[in-house]
Amino acid sequence: MASTAYVTSLSLSSSFTENSLSSSSSFFAGSQLSFSPSPLPGSRHISKRVVIVSRSLIGIGEAMRIMRERELQSTVKVRKRPPLRRGKVSGRLPVPDHIPRPPYSSTTFLPELSSELQIHDSESIACMKASCELAARALDYAGTLVRPSATTKEIDKAVHEMIIDAGAYPSPLGYGGFPKSIYTSVNECMCHGIPDSRQLQHGDIINIGVTVFLNGYHGATAKTFLCGKNVNEEAKRLVEVTEECLEKAISVCNNGALFRKIGKRISAHAEKFGYEVVDRFVGHGIGTILHSEPVIIHSSNEFPGRMVEGQTFTIEPIVTMGNMESVTWDDNWTTLTADGSLAAQFSHTVLITEDGVEVLTRC
């Protein structure tokens, strides 16, 4: 809920002559205090009037000092969150030879965005639904593994095994040289966090991204989970609002709708809470190709383009508690908020239908 802060203004100005005192009005917390004395003979009387006003100001100042001290004391009680540190990254996990792989899996080359729109017939829609259903189940499973002392490396390994047991390939593995099977982005990490040996802590939030390649089709989804106890209310609200942003964006999707409605709806909701929407990372078409047009911008924009029946794409907003500026580690993947503020993300793959939209990655 947006709130308006009223700034207290207090002023006092006086003009002295030999035998008179003239004082302007003073304001405190919306109440007006007026001092309009009549001319008084003798400096003694003038001194008394000034002392009265000064005592009033001292009382106000003392009250403000006590208020500031109380605010500082309450702030000290909150444990400061240490900055995210990288752990040790182990090697790639094996994938059985019989599982079909996407074309990029054997190279470190980062594919360019394809201009081929992902528009499906009934047969390919069935394939998309199968891959997206698996991605959704794998993400739910990953969420059950989020707990203090667990490492993101352990979560990656467990989800990797679930995916290959289903006969699918974990799409992130080998994409542009990415070394792991899922994305795990903790606290101020916006996205593309590489699973490693760092243990999760009470109070962490973790964004897990899962994409699978099944029977020639990709399905992608992501969710931010709370870890253990002591997740503060500010973090909880960020996560809640980010999920709401995704749902509000989905609600504007239908055959013929403008893509820019997505960004406008997300920005409008996030800004109510003083959050920023990251514009560096976008959603995209998805199907037989992992990343294709259209580009889905999550912030307000005026780009053209309309949704069409049979089309699949991702909506994946990242919302930050602070500034949306980012920094990327030298692994060329892990991207954090520049100011260290928390970030959250939710993502779904959606299908445009004749009369609306279907979320394919919702369990």
Side-chain angles (χ1 to χ4, degrees), residues 120-135:
H120 308 277
D121 58 21
S122 58
E123 183 178 347
S124 59
I125 286 174
C127 291
M128 280 297 299
K129 287 184 175 182
S131 65
C132 288
E133 189 269 340
L134 175 59

Side-chain angles (χ1 to χ4, degrees), residues 16-233:
F16 290 87
T17 61
E18 182 178 355
N19 292 314
S20 69
L21 171 66
S22 171
S23 179
S24 66
S25 298
S26 300
F27 294 85
F28 181 71
S31 298
Q32 182 173 343
L33 306 175
S34 299
F35 301 95
S36 303
S38 302
L40 299 172
S43 59
R44 182 179 181 182
H45 294 287
I46 294 175
S47 174
K48 285 184 178 180
R49 297 291 292 187
V50 173
V51 168
I52 291 171
V53 174
S54 297
R55 284 176 179 170
S56 298
L57 293 176
I58 290 171
I60 291 168
E62 180 67 11
M64 294 177 70
R65 183 187 66 78
I66 293 170
M67 187 182 302
R68 283 195 298 269
E69 286 181 353
R70 288 175 179 173
E71 290 174 349
L72 288 172
Q73 288 172 358
S74 63
T75 301
V76 169
K77 294 177 183 178
V78 178
R79 182 179 66 87
K80 186 176 180 181
R81 175 175 50 83
L84 185 66
R85 302 296 184 192
R86 70 186 75 191
K88 183 178 179 181
V89 178
S90 57
R92 288 175 54 159
L93 294 172
V95 177
D97 292 340
H98 70 274
I99 293 178
R101 292 161 164 74
Y104 58 77
S105 63
S106 59
T107 73
T108 58
F109 177 71
L110 186 66
E112 293 184 359
L113 182 75
S114 171
S115 61
E116 182 181 343
L117 299 180
Q118 303 297 291
I119 301 175
H120 308 277
D121 58 21
S122 58
E123 183 178 347
S124 59
I125 286 174
C127 291
M128 280 297 299
K129 287 184 175 182
S131 65
C132 288
E133 189 269 340
L134 175 59
R137 286 195 293 110
L139 180 61
D140 276 0
Y141 175 53
T144 68
L145 305 176
V146 173
R147 64 182 185 277
S149 80
T151 67
T152 52
K153 170 188 172 181
E154 292 167 347
I155 298 173
D156 175 77
K157 185 176 186 295
V159 175
H160 174 92
E161 290 176 352
M162 177 183 178
I163 293 170
I164 63 173
D165 284 348
Y169 183 91
S171 300
L173 186 62
Y175 183 84
F178 191 81
K180 291 296 179 179
S181 299
I182 63 174
Y183 301 111
T184 53
S185 306
V186 180
N187 293 336
E188 69 265 37
C189 185
M190 290 180 173
C191 61
H192 299 158
I194 299 175
D196 60 22
S197 62
R198 178 191 181 275
Q199 290 185 323
L200 294 175
Q201 308 293 322
H202 280 290
D204 282 346
I205 63 173
I206 175 172
N207 165 28
I208 300 179
V210 175
T211 308
V212 304
F213 183 67
L214 178 65
N215 297 326
Y217 290 81
H218 297 274
T221 186
K223 180 178 180 178
T224 300
F225 297 92
L226 309 180
C227 181
K229 303 175 183 179
N230 304 325
V231 178
N232 65 49
E233 292 303 315

